[in-house]
């Protein structure tokens, strides 16, 4: 997978005294965004099955979009949904 250097998005979950962040990268020439999580840093109890990509972290989601942009609000909602599914928050 090749990412477009012009597009990335930092999102975070800051509710209930949490400070957990992830980053999205856009796939080059496609309206697809990939969400990565640095669990080496956070050391959360994430269920297995997420591939580790060197220099990016765990690939925790792939999301097609209708346009090149991913609004920060939508990215934050996707990240919060991941955290809830994993029962981390």
């Amino acid at each position: 997978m090749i990412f477009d250097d012009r597009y990335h998005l930092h999102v975070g979950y800051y509710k209930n005294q949490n400070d957990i962040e992830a980053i999205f990268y856009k796939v080059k020439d496609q309206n697809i965004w990939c969400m990565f999580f640095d669990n080496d840093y956070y050391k959360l109890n994430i269920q297995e099955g997420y591939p580790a990509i060197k220099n990016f972290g765990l690939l925790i989601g792939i999301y097609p979009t209708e346009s090149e942009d991913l609004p920060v609000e939508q990215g934050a909602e996707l990240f919060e949904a991941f955290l809830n599914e994993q029962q981390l928050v």
Side-chain angles (χ1 to χ4, degrees):
M1 215 178 301
I2 298 173
F3 298 108
D4 190 327
D5 292 339
R6 300 173 298 161
Y7 297 95
H8 72 278
L9 175 68
H10 294 266
V11 295
Y13 180 84
Y14 308 109
K15 299 175 185 175
N16 303 319
Q17 300 178 345
N18 287 291
D19 187 352
I20 309 169
E21 298 180 354
I23 188 166
F24 285 86
Y25 291 98
K26 184 185 172 298
V27 176
K28 189 171 185 164
D29 299 324
Q30 297 182 44
N31 290 342
I32 297 174
W33 289 76
C34 297
M35 181 169 48
F36 291 93
F37 184 72
D38 184 2
N39 203 40
D40 288 342
Y41 177 79
Y42 291 103
K43 301 192 184 314
L44 299 178
N45 190 22
I46 294 178
Q47 298 171 13
E48 293 183 32
Y50 295 100
I53 309 298
K54 186 176 180 180
N55 299 323
F56 289 94
L58 296 178
L59 175 59
I60 59 173
I62 299 174
Y63 306 95
T65 60
E66 294 182 15
S67 69
E68 288 188 335
D69 294 323
L70 177 66
V72 68
E73 297 84 8
Q74 183 180 0
E77 289 173 5
L78 292 168
F79 183 47
E80 184 173 354
F82 165 79
L83 294 171
N84 284 322
E85 288 168 10
Q86 292 288 313
Q87 299 177 343
L88 298 171
V89 294

